[in-house]
Amino acid sequence: MTDLVLTPNIPQPDDFYAELVATHESLSKEESDALNARLILVLANHVGDNTVLKQALEAASQGARHPLR
Amino acid sequence: MTKIFEVPLYAYESSADQASALPVRHQVIVVGAGPVGLAAAIDLAQQGVEVLVLDDNDKVSFGSRAICFAQRPLEIMDRLGCGQTMVDKGIQWHEGKVFFDTRQVYGFDLQPEKGQRRPAFINLQQYYFEQFLVDRVRGLQQQGAAIEIRGRNKVEAVGTHPDHVRLEVETPEGPYIVEADWVIACDGAGSSMRSMLGKDFHGRVFEDNFLIADVVMQSDLPSERWFWFDPPFNRGQSALLHKQPDGVWRIDLQLGWDIDKDKEKRPENVIPRIKAMLGDDIDFEIDWVSIYTFQCRRMERFRHDRVIFAGDSAHQVSPFGARGANSGVQDTDNLCWKLSMVIDGRAPETILDSYDRERTQAADENISASTRSTEFITPKSDMSRLLRDAVLDLSAQFEFARPLVNSGRLSTPCIYDGSPLNSADGLNGPSNTRPGAPCPDAPVGDGFLLSKLNRGFNLLTIDADAPDELEVDGVSVKRLALSVKDDPSLALKHRYLGEATSAVYLIRPDQHIAARRDSYEENAFRQAILRASGKE
């Protein structure tokens, strides 16, 4: 079983990040939120492994600046 | 025209019990003549148990109410002798459309698995379902079965005793006392049996109202299930359109929480809503209107000594997924063979605790599934709605998102994994026929597997030897001998053998699998029969 990759895994990180931000440019907050939601679903389907997805949900929760309730 | 649900179907009649100086004792009293209570009574009567049904009303259900009946309950109805009538009258459908805002996001086709006698589901008004059950009761009475329905007999008090239950019953001619060895409480979500016994019933209340309208119209619309999320005619809410027999269409509109129910039910408020949905030019007549709210909850235990709860009195779910009446009928399917064995001494009373174990497991599955559908249909937070809308938007363009769309997951039977009646799996076979699972149907010769099963316990052999009859501590088991050659479509092989070349299945009277091995082994099956009859 594959574990969630939490080490650097994107070959050109700056390129990806710039595209991510650019995709949101000129969108309203509402449109951006909706886009993010669609993006999560597209990526989750690509992962397609409930264990890895669960690990991703945990990693995202742990990554909060302030402890989550 | 007088509607079927306005005519008394089991009108009040005086009974000899009312004039008796001493309370008359019955073997089983069923409280409530809804789908669940009637199914329980028929099941028991077919097994030779004397049964009396008490109902505070004298008619079938008022309005269509439950309309979607799934395959497993229809198979149970076959066992109870009314499956064919229901399927003949019901509407079969398998296609549906999902709309979001102004557009159709996709259509689906739920083609059922081939090679099964019964369709995945039919739409049939609850009043027909109940009427066919009452017809079956009358048929059994003509054959001399000890089964009786008493209309307008309202249970007002319950007394529990170590060896019987005492009921005080109110009738148009005054009260009387009647006793039973066992009582099955099938008196619905607002069960007065439950409150009289002071039993808990906690769960989650959903703050939402839904308007149900049954309309009669001539329409060219296909027999499909149409579901709308956030449509222009019911902004921010959901809507459902579904066909029933007799040109009746079920319309279900979410209304939200803060509404005036009486006002919303008035024709002058209902008609514009329906016109907004169907168009101004459609002629229709309103047959029945109701507003419902719902909760997801269950009793902690379904068995309370000699009073056993089944159906909505024991558990309640949201209507999304048709898990109310469908699961209630499966409760009685699970309970009645056990109770009948206890009554004639073939099983110890403790087998009834397996009813509790297996059906609370099923109720938890149903509550979980219907709670998830409810969250998708009526999101409870901004983020939940955002994700829901994202799923719907993506589903229009990308197939991957469609399985995430949840407008109700249709009732499927529970597999009783871990049940004390199961024996360890002794076959490297398909997962769907593991111990605890209901037998899937398959074409066999000129008919179907499930209709060939004997009443009582079965030993199903597929290309395997076994005795034709077996008797273990008063429990008799009959063999049904089959071969993969009996089904050229190979469904039997795929469903019961998988990679194995032969198999022997021990099947309970409710057609759930108790044990399986690749061949017959005397000791193992004797042990399995003892276990499945609650003696281990």
Side-chain angles (χ1 to χ4, degrees):
Chain A
M1 192 187 302
T2 329
D3 267 341
L4 178 71
V5 180
L6 287 170
T7 49
N9 195 35
I10 302 173
Q12 277 91 38
D14 291 351
D15 287 355
F16 161 70
Y17 193 79
E19 280 172 42
L20 179 62
V21 172
T23 309
H24 283 279
E25 254 167 39
S26 79
L27 297 187
S28 68
K29 165 88 170 95
E30 202 180 322
E31 289 166 336
S32 263
D33 286 346
L35 188 138
N36 278 341
R38 292 196 297 275
L39 182 63
I40 290 166
L41 294 166
V42 168
L43 294 175
N45 183 66
H46 183 81
V47 170
D49 180 326
N50 284 71
T51 312
V52 176
L53 289 171
K54 208 168 171 178
Q55 290 170 350
L57 290 171
E58 278 161 21
S61 300
Q62 281 169 18
R65 202 182 324 159
H66 305 291
L68 298 179
R69 274 174 295 160
Chain B
M1 195 182 83
T2 313
K3 291 165 186 153
I4 167 179
F5 50 88
E6 291 169 346
V7 184
L9 198 62
Y10 34 90
Y12 171 77
E13 285 173 36
S14 291
S15 129
D17 287 9
Q18 287 162 259
S20 170
L22 285 174
V24 173
R25 175 82 62 92
H26 296 271
Q27 278 189 321
V28 177
I29 290 181
V30 173
V31 181
V36 180
L38 291 169
I42 292 167
D43 208 345
L44 290 169
Q46 286 190 164
Q47 297 177 65
V49 174
E50 185 262 326
V51 58
L52 167 65
V53 183
L54 302 176
D55 196 273
D56 59 357
N57 206 322
D58 56 4
K59 303 177 187 72
V60 287
S61 100
F62 189 82
S64 63
R65 298 172 69 179
I67 60 160
C68 195
F69 293 93
Q71 180 179 359
R72 182 63 203 146
L74 290 174
E75 290 165 355
I76 294 169
M77 289 303 127
D78 280 335
R79 204 171 56 69
L80 300 185
C82 30
Q84 193 58 46
T85 323
M86 291 173 175
V87 172
D88 287 346
K89 180 71 187 173
I91 297 265
Q92 291 185 33
W93 61 276
H94 53 88
E95 285 177 89
K97 289 190 172 75
V98 175
F99 302 86
F100 179 38
D101 199 344
T102 53
R103 64 176 174 161
Q104 178 186 330
V105 284
Y106 72 98
F108 58 81
D109 187 347
L110 300 169
Q111 274 293 353
E113 214 179 331
K114 287 198 164 44
Q116 313 218 16
R117 184 176 180 205
R118 292 304 172 208
F121 26 80
I122 60 166
N123 285 359
L124 183 71
Q125 292 91 324
Q126 182 174 331
Y127 47 76
Y128 277 128
F129 193 87
E130 290 181 13
Q131 193 201 336
F132 297 151
L133 287 169
V134 171
D135 291 347
R136 174 64 180 150
V137 169
R138 301 293 178 227
L140 284 165
Q141 285 171 331
Q142 278 168 14
Q143 293 163 27
I147 180 170
E148 188 190 346
I149 312 178
R150 290 185 195 161
R152 297 178 73 191
N153 271 240
K154 186 177 186 335
V155 178
E156 292 282 8
V158 186
T160 52
H161 301 270
D163 65 342
H164 73 280
V165 182
R166 188 180 159 95
L167 302 177
E168 194 181 310
V169 182
E170 185 61 50
T171 76
E173 294 179 295
Y176 70 105
I177 304 286
V178 67
E179 293 177 351
D181 295 339
W182 300 93
V183 168
I184 309 179
C186 309
D187 53 344
S191 171
S192 57
M193 289 293 290
R194 195 181 58 225
S195 30
M196 284 187 286
L197 289 177
K199 298 303 171 193
D200 61 301
F201 200 38
H202 300 301
R204 188 167 161 196
V205 183
F206 290 86
E207 298 196 336
D208 224 323
N209 290 282
F210 291 80
L211 175 86
I212 295 186
D214 275 356
V215 303
V216 184
M217 61 177 177
Q218 292 304 316
S219 166
D220 298 332
L221 291 173
S223 302
E224 296 180 352
R225 181 183 196 262
W226 287 9
F227 198 97
W228 287 262
F229 293 96
D230 194 11
F233 59 81
N234 198 24
R235 203 38 99 187
Q237 315 278 16
S238 68
L240 172 76
L241 180 68
H242 220 171
K243 192 180 184 181
Q244 305 171 48
D246 304 341
V248 178
W249 293 78
R250 162 67 63 85
I251 289 170
D252 196 325
L253 294 166
Q254 186 193 355
L255 297 183
W257 187 234
D258 287 318
I259 59 154
D260 179 339
K261 288 191 192 185
D262 289 327
K263 192 177 142 214
E264 290 293 346
K265 274 198 278 192
R266 283 185 213 136
E268 67 262 32
N269 293 314
V270 175
I271 290 168
R273 285 186 176 279
I274 295 173
K275 285 195 164 170
M277 180 173 176
L278 301 175
D280 270 335
D281 48 346
I282 288 192
D283 270 341
F284 63 87
E285 199 182 303
I286 297 175
D287 199 44
W288 173 67
V289 172
S290 174
I291 288 182
Y292 68 87
T293 56
F294 58 83
Q295 309 199 0
C296 285
R297 54 183 186 172
R298 73 161 167 91
M299 293 176 87
E300 197 182 327
R301 288 185 295 120
F302 296 172
R303 179 188 172 206
H304 294 273
D305 300 317
R306 288 177 173 267
V307 181
I308 302 163
F309 289 80
D312 281 359
S313 70
H315 46 77
Q316 239 190 309
V317 294
S318 83
F320 310 120
R323 288 164 184 270
N326 280 316
S327 71
V329 165
Q330 290 170 81
D331 286 347
T332 66
D333 185 48
N334 186 294
L335 173 63
C336 290
W337 67 271
K338 295 172 183 173
L339 187 55
S340 142
M341 284 177 75
V342 170
I343 286 171
D344 57 26
R346 284 176 297 142
E349 217 177 287
T350 48
I351 196 177
L352 298 174
D353 294 327
S354 74
Y355 163 73
D356 205 89
R357 162 72 178 69
E358 293 177 340
R359 293 312 296 171
T360 54
Q361 180 186 354
D364 286 344
E365 269 186 27
N366 287 324
I367 288 171
S368 163
S370 83
T371 303
R372 287 170 172 187
S373 302
T374 306
E375 183 61 39
F376 195 89
I377 293 166
T378 63
K380 296 293 174 288
S381 70
D382 291 343
M383 186 48 68
S384 178
R385 180 171 291 269
L386 188 73
L387 290 165
R388 196 281 303 268
D389 289 354
V391 165
L392 289 168
D393 277 327
L394 287 167
S395 72
Q397 211 175 340
F398 303 109
E399 205 185 327
F400 89 82
R402 292 173 194 167
L404 296 170
V405 175
N406 189 344
S407 67
R409 302 279 185 231
L410 199 96
S411 167
T412 49
C414 178
I415 296 183
Y416 305 133
D417 284 317
S419 165
L421 306 190
N422 295 349
S423 294
D425 195 353
L427 181 78
N428 180 24
S431 159
N432 282 345
T433 40
R434 64 185 184 270
C439 286
D441 207 359
V444 173
D446 56 353
F448 287 93
L449 170 63
L450 293 185
S451 15
K452 292 194 189 294
L453 288 172
N454 309 291
R455 290 190 195 281
F457 280 92
N458 282 266
L459 206 57
L460 167 68
T461 60
I462 302 172
D463 296 318
D465 279 332
D468 285 336
E469 273 188 55
L470 207 60
E471 173 110 5
V472 181
D473 197 24
V475 177
S476 59
V477 181
K478 281 189 185 148
R479 177 186 179 200
L480 173 63
L482 297 176
S483 162
V484 287
K485 294 191 199 89
D486 294 328
D487 172 23
S489 78
L490 295 183
L492 182 69
K493 178 178 161 34
H494 290 140
R495 287 167 200 166
Y496 286 87
L497 291 185
E499 299 300 308
T501 53
S502 68
V504 181
Y505 281 81
L506 175 65
I507 298 168
R508 319 188 323 191
D510 59 2
Q511 303 179 339
H512 275 254
I513 291 155
R516 65 175 184 177
R517 301 179 73 83
D518 52 8
S519 63
Y520 180 75
E521 198 189 306
E522 177 90 16
N523 280 341
F525 277 97
R526 283 189 171 271
Q527 202 59 38
I529 292 162
L530 285 175
R531 211 172 149 73
S533 47
K535 291 168 189 155
E536 195 197 286

